[in-house]
RNA sequence: GGCGCUGUGGCCGAGUGGCUAGGCAGAGGUCUGCAAAACCUUGUACAGCGGUUCGAAUCCGCUCAGCGCCUCCA
C-alpha cells in the first residue's frame, strides 16, 4: 500500500470553492502547472512565498509516492505595462530603459530568479518553459480558437470574444463574476477601441513600429497576448486535462479566468481539475507589492539592509516562517515573527542534530509510549494531506522534537521505545523536515569545516582543563569570547561539551 | 459599485460544533560552579450583539474594523 493511499490528499479547489479528495487523472501520476514569474525585475518575498508553497506541494506529492510532472513557466514576453495603453511590453520597456536587448533583460532576471529559488531550497520544476520558446504553439492555439469562433482579428491583432464565448460557456466561474456586472463596472480605458467589447482580451498584439519584441504571424508582425502562454504550455506538457493548476491569489482574475476561457475556446476542455491559489504576504496588514514600496529583495532580507528590517534573516528562517502558516492564509511579516521563527527553526535543527547522539532504543519496551511516538508522525502526515497544512504538521514536529530531547537527557525513556517504532518515527521526522518542508540544516553546513572543528576541539579541551582546576575565570572567558565570535558552547552531562554556530 | 476574504491569549499562527494546537516572549521549578540549552509547571484567547443547538471560537443574521481582486502583480 502506497503512502498516498494511506494518507489520501484533499485539496481546497478554488474552482469548486470547497475542499475535495484529490484524485489524479492517471493513477499514481500528477500533472501540476504553476504560473511562474514575469522576468522583468527582481523577485521579492511575495513571489518566494508562492513558489515555496507550491514547492512543498510538489515535494509532498512525491513523498507520498506520486510521480509528479511539475511545470512552471517563465513569462518573458507579453505582459503589458499597466499605465501604457499603447500596448507597450514590460520587458521591452525595461530593455529600453536599461538599453539592453530584451532577451538580455530576460536572461538577467531569469538567472536571478533561479538563484533566489535555489537559496530558498525550492526544487526546480520538471519543465520550465518560456513564452518566447512557444510562439509557434501559441499561434496554432489562436488559429484553433478563431476556427472555433471565439476570437476575431482586427488590425493585425486577435482578440478573444468573451461575449460569444459566454453564450456557450460560463465566463467567470473561477472568480465568481458575471458578465453583466463586469460590463457595468468596466473602467474607461483608452486604447481599447480596437476591441469589439471592453471585456475582450488580446490573444495576439500587433507590434507597432519600434516595439522591440516582434514575431511574424498570420496576422502580421506582433507578439502573443498576456494570458495565452499558460494555456498553451500547460496543454502542451500536461495535456488538455490535467490535475493541478496553481498560482497566486491575485492571478485569479483576469489571468486564470482568461486561461480557462482560452482552453475551452481551443480544446473544449477547461484544463486543470483542481485550481489552487496561494495567498499574499502582507506587511503591517497590507499586501507586499512593488507599488506599495513595502517589498524587499532577498539580498536585503539576508543583510537586513532595508528600513523595515531590524536585521538579516537566513533563508531557512524565512522558509520556516512561511511554512508556519497555511498557504491559503495571508501571512503578515514582522521582525518579531521572523525572530520567533528563527528560534523555532534552530530548536528543530538542534533536535535533528541530537538524533545521531542518541543511544539505542529498546530494552524495556513500553508499547503505549512507542505507539505515542508513531502517532505523532501519523498526525503530521494526516495534516500534510489535509490541504498541505504545514502549520499543523510543524506543531507535530515540535512534539517530536521535545521527545527526542527527552530521549537524550533520559536514556531510560528511549529504552521504552520499540526500535522499529523509533526508526519509523525518525525516518519520517527527517523526511518531513528535509524532503517535504525542504528545510536545510544551516548550522550543520557551517560545522562541516573540519579545520574549524579541530580548532573547536582544542578550545573545548582547554576549557575542560580550566574547569577541572576550578579556574572559572578562564573557562568563562573562553565561553564568553567564543559567544562573541558567534559560537555557543554548551556544557553537557558527564563533563562533555558541545557547540553550535549561530 | 461588483466579487471575495479576515478579525483567535503580549506577538506570530493552526483549528474540528463538545476533547491542551504549536512557536516566540513572560513567570516558577529541575539540572549547572555560573551560564546556555534542554526538560517540567504555568496563560479566565477566540471583534461586538443576537439566533440555532443539550453544547459554538467553530453554523446563521446583523454591527464594527481591516484586507484582497475588479489595471500588471505570486
Amino acid at each position: 500500500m502506497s503512502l498516498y493511499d494511506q494518507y489520501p490528499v484533499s485539496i481546497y479547489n478554488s474552482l469548486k470553492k470547497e475542499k475535495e479528495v484529490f484524485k489524479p487523472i492517471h493513477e499514481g501520476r500528477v500533472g501540476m502547472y504553476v504560473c511562474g514569474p514575469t522576468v522583468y525585475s527582481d523577485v521579492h518575498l511575495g513571489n518566494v512565498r508562492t513558489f515555496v508553497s507550491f514547492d512543498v506541494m510538489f515535494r509532498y506529492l512525491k513523498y507520498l509516492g506520486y510521480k509528479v510532472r511539475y511545470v512552471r513557466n517563465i513569462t518573458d514576453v507579453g505582459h503589458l505595462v499597466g499605465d501604457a495603453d499603447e500596448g507597450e511590453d514590460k520587458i521591452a520597456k525595461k530593455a529600453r530603459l536599461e538599453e539592453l536587448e530584451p532577451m538580455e533583460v530576460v536572461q538577467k532576471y531569469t538567472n536571478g530568479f533561479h538563484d533566489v529559488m535555489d537559496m530558498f531550497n525550492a526544487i526546480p520544476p520538471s519543465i520550465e518553459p518560456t513564452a518566447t520558446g512557444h510562439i509557434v504553439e501559441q499561434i496554432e492555439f489562436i488559429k484553433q480558437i478563431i476556427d472555433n469562433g471565439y476570437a476575431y482579428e482586427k488590425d493585425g491583432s486577435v482578440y478573444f470574444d468573451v461575449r460569444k464565448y459566454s453564450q456557450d460557456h460560463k465566463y467567470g466561474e473561477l472568480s465568481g463574476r458575471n458578465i453583466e456586472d463586469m460590463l457595468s463596472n468596466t473602467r474607461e480605458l483608452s486604447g481599447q477601441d480596437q476591441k469589439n467589447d471592453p471585456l475582450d482580451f488580446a490573444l495576439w498584439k500587433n507590434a507597432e513600429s519600434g516595439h522591440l519584441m516582434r514575431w511574424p504571424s498570420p496576422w502580421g508582425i506582433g507578439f502573443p497576448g498576456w494570458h495565452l502562454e499558460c494555456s498553451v504550455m500547460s496543454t502542451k506538457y500536461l495535456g488538455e486535462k490535467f490535475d493541478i493548476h496553481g498560482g497566486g491569489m491575485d492571478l485569479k482574475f483576469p489571468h486564470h479566468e482568461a486561461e480557462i476561457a482560452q482552453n475551452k475556446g481551443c480544446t473544449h476542455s477547461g484544463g486543470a481539475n483542481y485550481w489552487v491559489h496561494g495567498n499574499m504576504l502582507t506587511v503591517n496588514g497590507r499586501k507586499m507589492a512593488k507599488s506599495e514600496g513595502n517589498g524587499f529583495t532577498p539580498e536585503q532580507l539576508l543583510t537586513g539592509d532595508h528600513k523595515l528590517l531590524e536585521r538579516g534573516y537566513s533563508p531557512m528562517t524565512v522558509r520556516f516562517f512561511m511554512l508556519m502558516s497555511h498557504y491559503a492564509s495571508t501571512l503578515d511579516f514582522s521582525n518579531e515573527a521572523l525572530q520567533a521563527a528563527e528560534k523555532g527553526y534552530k530548536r528543530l535543527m538542534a533536535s535533528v542534530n541530537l538524533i545521531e547522539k542518541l543511544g539505542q532504543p529498546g530494552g524495556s519496551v513500553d508499547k503505549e509510549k512507542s505507539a505515542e511516538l508513531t502517532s505523532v508522525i501519523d498526525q503530521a502526515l494526516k495534516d500534510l494531506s489535509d490541504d498541505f497544512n504545514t502549520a499543523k504538521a510543524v506543531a507535530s514536529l515540535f512534539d517530536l522534537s521535545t521527545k527526542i530531547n527527552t530521549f537524550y537527557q533520559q536514556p531510560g525513556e528511549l529504552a521504552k521505545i520499540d526500535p522499529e517504532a523509533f526508526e519509523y518515527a525518525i525516518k519520517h521526522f527527517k523526511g518531513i523536515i528535509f524532503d517535504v518542508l525542504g528545510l536545510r540544516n544551516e548550522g550543520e553546513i557551517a560545522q562541516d569545516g573540519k579545520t574549524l572543528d579541530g580548532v573547536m576541539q582544542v578550545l573545548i579541551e582547554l576549557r575542560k582543563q580550566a574547569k577541572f582546576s576550578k579556574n572559572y575565570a578562564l573557562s568563562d572567558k573562553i565561553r564568553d569570547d567564543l559567544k562573541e565570535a558567534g559560537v555557543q558552547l554548551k556544557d553537557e552531562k558527564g563533563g562533555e561539551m558541545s557547540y553550535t554556530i549561530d
Side-chain angles (χ1 to χ4, degrees), chain A residues 153-171:
Chain A
E153 185 201 346
K154 209 153 204 188
D155 302 328
S157 294
V158 181
Y159 296 96
F160 192 87
D161 191 336
V162 172
R163 265 190 189 280
K164 177 74 196 307
Y165 173 81
S166 70
Q167 286 167 12
D168 306 328
H169 302 91
K170 207 165 143 195
Y171 184 74

Side-chain angles (χ1 to χ4, degrees), chain A residues 351-417:
Chain A
S351 297
V352 170
N353 293 335
L354 223 45
I355 291 171
E356 290 173 26
K357 298 184 182 173
L358 290 179
Q360 288 301 313
S364 54
V365 172
D366 179 329
K367 277 196 174 159
E368 211 169 292
K369 294 256 180 189
S370 302
E372 207 177 283
L373 190 68
T374 52
S375 77
V376 177
I377 287 299
D378 186 56
Q379 189 59 47
L381 291 172
K382 274 183 184 156
D383 292 335
L384 286 169
S385 279
D386 182 10
D387 201 22
F388 311 102
N389 196 329
T390 54
K392 258 190 121 181
V394 164
S396 292
L397 294 180
F398 278 116
D399 280 351
L400 213 57
S401 166
T402 298
K403 288 186 190 300
I404 289 169
N405 292 338
T406 300
F407 291 155
Y408 182 68
Q409 289 188 343
Q410 300 170 45
E413 289 299 310
L414 182 58
K416 292 179 185 168
I417 305 301

Side-chain angles (χ1 to χ4, degrees), chain A residues 68-251:
Chain A
V68 187
R69 179 180 289 171
Y70 173 28
V71 181
R72 186 185 63 207
N73 64 298
I74 292 279
T75 297
D76 55 355
V77 67
H79 286 244
L80 301 181
V81 167
D83 53 359
D85 294 333
E86 300 78 36
E88 190 163 20
D89 193 278
K90 266 183 185 173
I91 289 158
K93 186 182 181 188
K94 183 84 177 179
R96 221 169 283 157
L97 284 173
E98 300 197 349
E99 292 182 28
L100 297 165
E101 268 295 315
M103 277 300 127
E104 243 179 308
V105 175
V106 164
Q107 191 67 57
K108 174 181 169 186
Y109 292 114
T110 299
N111 291 345
F113 171 66
H114 286 156
D115 289 347
V116 170
M117 285 298 104
D118 186 52
M119 190 191 296
F120 288 99
N121 206 25
I123 301 176
S126 322
I127 301 176
E128 191 171 52
T130 61
T132 55
H134 296 75
I135 300 292
V136 173
E137 288 87 341
Q138 294 185 76
I139 289 171
E140 291 306 311
F141 210 88
I142 295 170
K143 280 189 193 163
Q144 188 61 51
I145 296 176
I146 294 176
D147 284 351
N148 292 346
Y150 296 124
Y152 56 89
E153 185 201 346
K154 209 153 204 188
D155 302 328
S157 294
V158 181
Y159 296 96
F160 192 87
D161 191 336
V162 172
R163 265 190 189 280
K164 177 74 196 307
Y165 173 81
S166 70
Q167 286 167 12
D168 306 328
H169 302 91
K170 207 165 143 195
Y171 184 74
E173 58 179 334
L174 178 68
S175 53
R177 280 152 223 261
N178 70 65
I179 298 242
E180 302 314 317
D181 286 345
M182 289 169 65
L183 255 190
S184 57
N185 288 300
T186 304
R187 294 186 193 180
E188 281 300 318
L189 290 173
S190 58
Q192 294 199 328
D193 17 287
Q194 285 185 321
K195 297 183 191 175
N196 288 345
D197 194 302
L199 292 182
D200 294 349
F201 54 87
L203 297 175
W204 186 266
K205 277 293 260 184
N206 172 242
E208 328 223 320
S209 59
H211 197 282
L212 296 177
M213 299 198 105
R214 38 208 307 139
W215 288 269
S217 81
W219 316 284
I221 303 292
F223 56 95
W226 342 330
H227 312 302
L228 192 61
E229 55 174 303
C230 292
S231 287
V232 170
M233 300 192 297
S234 63
T235 302
K236 172 161 182 169
Y237 297 112
L238 298 172
E240 293 176 3
K241 275 175 108 58
F242 57 97
D243 299 301
I244 299 172
H245 188 125
M249 207 72 110
D250 47 358
L251 294 181

Side-chain angles (χ1 to χ4, degrees), chain A residues 486-498:
Chain A
V487 179
Q488 175 71 59
L489 269 189
K490 293 173 193 168
D491 291 355
E492 312 218 341
K493 286 190 173 169
E496 286 306 307
M497 294 178 198
S498 65

Side-chain angles (χ1 to χ4, degrees), chain A residues 318-482:
Chain A
V318 175
R319 184 167 172 120
F320 187 66
F321 168 63
M322 290 172 172
L323 297 178
M324 281 175 77
S325 74
H326 188 245
Y327 75 87
S329 301
T330 54
L331 174 62
D332 198 58
F333 166 85
S334 70
N335 282 285
E336 293 89 334
L338 233 45
Q339 279 160 27
E342 183 179 81
K343 290 214 173 185
Y345 164 73
K346 284 187 173 171
R347 180 174 149 80
L348 215 49
M349 286 307 132
S351 297
V352 170
N353 293 335
L354 223 45
I355 291 171
E356 290 173 26
K357 298 184 182 173
L358 290 179
Q360 288 301 313
S364 54
V365 172
D366 179 329
K367 277 196 174 159
E368 211 169 292
K369 294 256 180 189
S370 302
E372 207 177 283
L373 190 68
T374 52
S375 77
V376 177
I377 287 299
D378 186 56
Q379 189 59 47
L381 291 172
K382 274 183 184 156
D383 292 335
L384 286 169
S385 279
D386 182 10
D387 201 22
F388 311 102
N389 196 329
T390 54
K392 258 190 121 181
V394 164
S396 292
L397 294 180
F398 278 116
D399 280 351
L400 213 57
S401 166
T402 298
K403 288 186 190 300
I404 289 169
N405 292 338
T406 300
F407 291 155
Y408 182 68
Q409 289 188 343
Q410 300 170 45
E413 289 299 310
L414 182 58
K416 292 179 185 168
I417 305 301
D418 172 63
E420 212 170 293
F422 179 78
E423 199 186 323
Y424 174 85
I426 294 303
K427 188 186 92 183
H428 284 298
F429 180 64
K430 285 184 171 174
I432 291 170
I433 290 175
F434 297 117
D435 299 340
V436 179
L437 300 184
L439 294 170
R440 268 198 289 244
N441 196 342
E442 288 173 337
E444 192 180 58
I445 294 165
Q447 285 184 32
D448 269 350
K450 275 193 174 160
T451 309
L452 175 63
D453 190 61
V455 171
M456 282 308 303
Q457 293 313 321
V458 171
L459 288 166
I460 284 173
E461 187 54 38
L462 282 174
R463 182 156 183 276
K464 277 182 185 171
Q465 287 179 17
K467 273 189 73 174
F468 183 73
S469 52
K470 296 215 181 336
N471 185 352
Y472 295 125
L474 179 59
S475 69
D476 286 358
K477 181 176 168 53
I478 292 173
R479 186 176 63 200
D480 294 345
D481 289 359
L482 280 172

